[in-house]
């Protein structure tokens, strides 16, 4: 079923850190993935994986059970979808380092997103995480180890001292940790090849990247979600990686979750253009260089961020992108095939509405989100414009509420449903040329169109201190939640992870217990808490 696609592997990315689907929904959607042209899945579990033993504190309250993981893998096999698990091992470690028991492994004490590469416990920790994931994925030919957007690398005290030594650089520090992680994977699981996001490698000189030994241990995934992707620049980057010794390369596009942190409806045309550009990149180089492409579908920009488009909302965009990759473009006959797959009589890729929302699994959720996003919002705006007195009343009510749980919003300021101090406001920072940056939170999900990293968060320190604070609900009974127990993680020789018990306060940073409040809505769950992740 490869058609004329230059990509041997076409992986659909499932980002499970927000609104993770029930297994029953996956059983309905996997056949559609296969029919649309996918032959693999990249599953980013984060805290939805059933970590056990000393790592049990990492799992969310409604994490999948081991039996559910096995059922997911069985369903994938039935639908000829090869599964590649993803485990973050360097950057984007918020779901791990937010816990007080592991906070001592942060690169910078205030920020829970980056692991300290100097601590032997750090490698023991990620090694234990990898081993538990691989125990439930024994046949995986690839394992994605993340390693992207390692913010604050080199800014910790140990790193500063290390960088003062002659010939030491941040690039060398990064490559050293990547090599250690990849070596662990290959030593413990020799039949599994590590994959990693490529952004931390782009600026590394060829000679240094070659000498690091990383090209012999892993394969990079070149990501770019822009509709105006630089085809020539990507071709040069691929050439560089080949010269450094990487045997195979991968590409990563996006079918949703890359155009706004609180995006509700998916701009299909943007994502189609992104995939058309990737087809041009593939055509510009040798046919066997790109092993495959990952169609990413981000669900949150950050562990502490709000949800962007739900998976069912992004299915039409995914269908358009997969079929375009399979047939080399989006001609009228391809459009007709997509409409037939989705049960939509007339697909509109330039806007958010089509002739009906379709009959695919989850189409009822798309209909409801469309109704709320387009029609309810516009009717409220119209009411506010028509009655200035009502507008003043609502404004006063809003800002009083904002002082409590939400960050208020003035002008271009974005409201973030994240745990923040009362009254704290996040304002967009300037991007290149003084333009607003594409996002505020440091997450790959909001990458700038051309693959550039955006500015750092204005309120990162608040979230970094732990996800609990004045904005977090207590447990269902109002009592403190159980503290993580002390224990030891066995890892590579000479290393172990000491779990430090959290304090006994009701706001200990053991992480949000998700899905405490949920309401049934057309067979789906509504998330009153922005960090709720009960499965829909």
């Amino acid at each position: 079923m490869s058609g004329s696609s230059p990509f041997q592997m076409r992986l659909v990315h499932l980002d499970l850190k927000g609104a993770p689907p029930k297994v029953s929904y996956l059983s309905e959607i996997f056949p559609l993935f296969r029919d649309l042209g996918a032959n693999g899945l990249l599953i980013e579990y984060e805290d939805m994986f059933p970590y056990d033993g000393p790592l049990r504190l990492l799992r969310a309250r409604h994490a999948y059970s081991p039996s559910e993981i096995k059922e997911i893998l069985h369903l994938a096999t039935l639908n000829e979808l090869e599964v590649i698990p993803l485990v973050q091992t360097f950057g984007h470690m918020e779901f791990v380092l937010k816990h007080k028991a592991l906070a001592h492994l942060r690169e910078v004490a205030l920020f829970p997103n980056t692991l300290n590469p100097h601590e032997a416990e750090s490698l023991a920790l990620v090694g234990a995480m990898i081993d538990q994931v691989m125990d439930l994925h024994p046949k995986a030919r690839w394992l994605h180890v993340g390693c992207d957007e390692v913010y604050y690398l080199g800014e910790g005290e140990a790193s500063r001292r290390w960088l003062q030594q002659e010939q030491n650089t941040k690039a060398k520090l990064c490559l050293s940790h990547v090599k250690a992680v990849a070596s662990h994977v290959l030593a413990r699981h020799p039949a599994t090849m590590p994959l990693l996001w490529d952004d931390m490698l782009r600026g590394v000189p060829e000679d240094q990247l070659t000498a690091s030994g990383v090209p012999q241990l892993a394969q990079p995934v070149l990501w770019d979600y822009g509709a105006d992707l630089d085809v020539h620049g990507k071709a040069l980057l691929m050439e560089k990686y080949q010269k450094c010794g990487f045997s195979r390369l991968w590409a990563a596009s996006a079918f949703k979750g890359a155009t706004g942190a609180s995006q509700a409806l998916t701009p299909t045309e943007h994502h189609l253009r992104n995939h058309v550009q990737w087809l041009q990149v593939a055509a510009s180089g040798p046919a066997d260089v790109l092993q495959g492409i990952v169609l990413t579908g981000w669900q949150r920009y950050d562990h502490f961020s709000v949800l962007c488009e739900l998976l069912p909302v992004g299915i039409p965009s995914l269908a358009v992108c997969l079929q375009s990759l399979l047939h080399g473009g989006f001609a009228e006959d391809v459009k007709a095939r997509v409409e037939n797959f989705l049960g939509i009589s007339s697909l509109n890729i330039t806007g958010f509405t089509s002739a009906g929302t379709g009959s695919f699994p989850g189409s009822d959720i798309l209909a409801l989100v469309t109704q709320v996003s387009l029609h309810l919002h516009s009717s409220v705006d119209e009411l506010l414009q028509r009655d200035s007195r009502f507008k003043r009343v609502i404004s006063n009510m809003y800002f009083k509420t904002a002082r409590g749980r939400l960050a208020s919003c003035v002008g271009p300021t974005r409201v973030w449903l994240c745990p923040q101090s009362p009254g704290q406001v996040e304002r967009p920072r300037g991007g290149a040329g003084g333009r607003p940056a594409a996002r505020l939170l440091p997450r790959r999900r909001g990458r700038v169109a051309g693959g550039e990293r955006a500015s750092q968060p204005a309120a990162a320190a608040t979230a970094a201190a732990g996800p609990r604070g004045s904005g977090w609900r207590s447990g269902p009974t109002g009592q403190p939640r159980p503290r993580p127990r002390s224990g030891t993680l066995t890892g590579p020789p000479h290393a172990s992870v000491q779990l430090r018990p959290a304090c006994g306060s009701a706001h200990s940073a053991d992480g949000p217990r998700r899905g405490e409040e949920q309401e049934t809505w057309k067979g789906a769950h509504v998330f009153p808490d922005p960090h709720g992740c009960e499965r829909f």
Side-chain angles (χ1 to χ4, degrees):
M1 189 177 171
S2 60
S4 59
S5 176
F7 299 102
Q8 178 184 348
M9 298 292 296
R10 297 171 297 280
L11 309 176
V12 176
H13 171 235
L14 296 177
D15 181 16
L16 302 180
K17 73 173 60 62
K22 292 181 178 179
V23 176
S24 58
Y25 180 71
L26 296 178
S27 70
E28 297 179 42
I29 205 67
F30 281 2
L32 180 61
F33 288 174
R34 177 198 61 207
D35 294 342
L36 290 172
N39 56 11
L41 302 169
L42 177 66
I43 304 183
E44 185 166 352
Y45 290 106
E46 211 187 58
D47 58 2
M48 288 302 294
F49 186 82
Y51 290 106
D52 204 3
L55 290 179
R56 190 178 181 88
L57 80 167
L58 302 184
R59 64 159 72 175
R61 178 178 179 180
H62 297 281
Y64 295 115
S65 66
S67 61
E68 286 179 311
I69 297 292
K70 293 177 182 178
E71 178 63 17
I72 292 172
L73 298 181
H74 176 64
L75 291 170
T77 300
L78 290 178
N79 290 282
E80 301 176 339
L81 299 170
E82 183 166 359
V83 173
I84 300 177
L86 188 154
V87 182
Q88 285 288 0
T89 59
F90 205 177
H92 298 306
M93 293 283 285
E94 296 91 347
F95 82 102
V96 177
L97 300 178
K98 70 181 181 182
H99 300 285
K100 284 191 175 180
L102 297 169
H104 63 289
L105 297 179
R106 298 174 181 178
E107 167 73 338
V108 176
L110 285 176
F111 305 115
N113 49 5
T114 299
L115 191 68
N116 183 343
H118 301 279
E119 294 286 345
E121 292 180 53
S122 295
L123 186 58
L125 170 64
V126 297
M129 292 168 61
I130 287 170
D131 292 343
Q132 288 200 19
V133 170
M134 288 302 298
D135 284 346
L136 288 181
H137 299 77
K139 297 181 180 180
R141 290 196 291 166
W142 295 280
L143 170 69
H144 202 307
V145 296
C147 294
D148 60 310
E149 295 182 331
V150 188
Y151 294 120
Y152 309 113
L153 177 63
E155 297 184 20
E157 292 183 9
S159 291
R160 290 179 185 275
R161 291 193 299 270
W162 186 85
L163 290 171
Q164 289 177 353
Q165 301 176 25
E166 190 176 358
Q167 296 183 341
N168 283 349
T169 64
K170 288 185 180 181
K172 184 177 179 180
L173 178 60
C174 177
L175 293 171
S176 175
H177 182 76
V178 170
K179 182 178 181 179
V181 172
S183 296
H184 173 86
V185 174
L186 293 172
R188 297 293 298 271
H189 314 279
T192 303
M193 171 60 70
L195 306 180
L196 70 154
W197 302 114
D198 84 304
D199 54 287
M200 297 301 293
L201 309 178
R202 295 172 190 167
V204 179
E206 286 185 23
D207 57 345
Q208 190 172 350
L209 185 54
T210 302
S212 70
V214 170
Q216 287 71 46
L217 302 174
Q219 296 174 354
V221 183
L222 291 72
W223 59 261
D224 197 320
Y225 311 145
D228 56 351
L229 182 156
D230 181 0
V231 175
H232 180 65
K234 282 292 178 290
L236 293 177
L237 188 58
M238 290 168 56
E239 183 179 343
K240 169 188 172 178
Y241 289 153
Q242 285 182 279
K243 290 181 179 178
C244 291
F246 286 106
S247 59
R248 288 293 182 90
L249 311 177
W250 296 69
S253 57
F255 73 89
K256 80 174 188 74
T259 56
S262 57
Q263 186 80 29
L265 295 172
T266 306
T268 303
E269 184 180 25
H270 171 96
H271 297 292
L272 171 60
R273 290 171 58 194
N274 174 241
H275 286 79
V276 170
Q277 295 294 91
W278 271 115
L279 284 170
Q280 293 183 31
V281 172
S284 66
D288 59 344
V289 173
L290 286 172
Q291 176 75 33
I293 185 169
V294 179
L295 291 84
T296 62
W298 303 109
Q299 194 55 75
R300 295 187 194 274
Y301 278 22
D302 184 87
H303 180 75
F304 299 118
S305 185
V306 295
L307 296 170
C308 44
E309 308 106 295
L310 298 174
L311 176 58
V313 173
I315 294 300
S317 174
L318 175 63
V320 168
C321 296
L322 272 172
Q323 283 287 290
S324 297
L325 291 178
L326 196 65
H327 298 285
F330 193 66
E332 283 299 318
D333 61 324
V334 178
K335 180 174 181 287
R337 290 175 61 88
V338 171
E339 291 171 343
N340 182 58
F341 281 126
L342 301 178
I344 296 176
S345 58
S346 181
L347 180 66
N348 176 16
I349 68 167
T350 59
F352 294 119
T353 58
S354 296
T357 53
S359 57
F360 61 89
S363 57
D364 55 340
I365 295 179
L366 172 58
L368 288 168
V369 172
T370 302
Q371 177 72 18
V372 171
S373 298
L374 297 183
H375 307 299
L376 180 59
H377 285 182
S378 61
S379 63
V380 171
D381 290 341
E382 181 181 352
L383 176 62
L384 291 175
Q385 292 297 327
R386 187 170 64 247
D387 193 327
S388 60
R389 292 174 299 174
F390 181 72
K391 183 176 182 180
R392 285 197 298 272
V393 171
I394 292 297
S395 296
N396 290 336
M397 291 173 60
Y398 170 74
F399 283 108
K400 288 179 180 178
T401 303
R403 293 178 59 188
R405 176 163 171 74
L406 305 179
S408 61
C409 155
V410 179
T413 308
R414 182 183 298 280
V415 179
W416 292 91
L417 304 183
C418 299
Q420 301 183 60
S421 301
Q424 184 174 2
V425 178
E426 283 193 277
R427 300 183 183 276
R429 298 194 178 193
R435 294 171 294 180
R439 58 185 166 84
L440 299 178
L441 298 179
R443 189 63 173 171
R444 146 186 7 93
R445 319 312 180 235
R447 286 164 166 161
V448 179
E452 298 298 328
R453 299 194 300 183
S455 57
Q456 298 299 305
T462 306
R468 297 194 179 279
S470 60
W472 282 98
R473 296 184 178 93
S474 61
T477 62
Q479 300 300 318
R481 292 189 174 81
R483 291 174 289 169
R485 298 178 179 178
S486 301
T488 300
L489 292 174
T490 57
H494 324 301
S496 64
V497 179
Q498 300 299 325
L499 299 185
R500 303 178 181 178
C503 67
S505 70
H507 296 298
S508 63
D510 59 337
R513 297 303 181 193
R514 301 182 175 184
E516 290 168 356
E517 302 177 29
Q518 61 262 0
E519 305 168 8
T520 302
W521 179 42
K522 286 288 185 180
H525 286 284
V526 184
F527 312 108
D529 188 319
H531 294 272
C533 73
E534 177 64 83
R535 305 171 210 168
F536 64 81

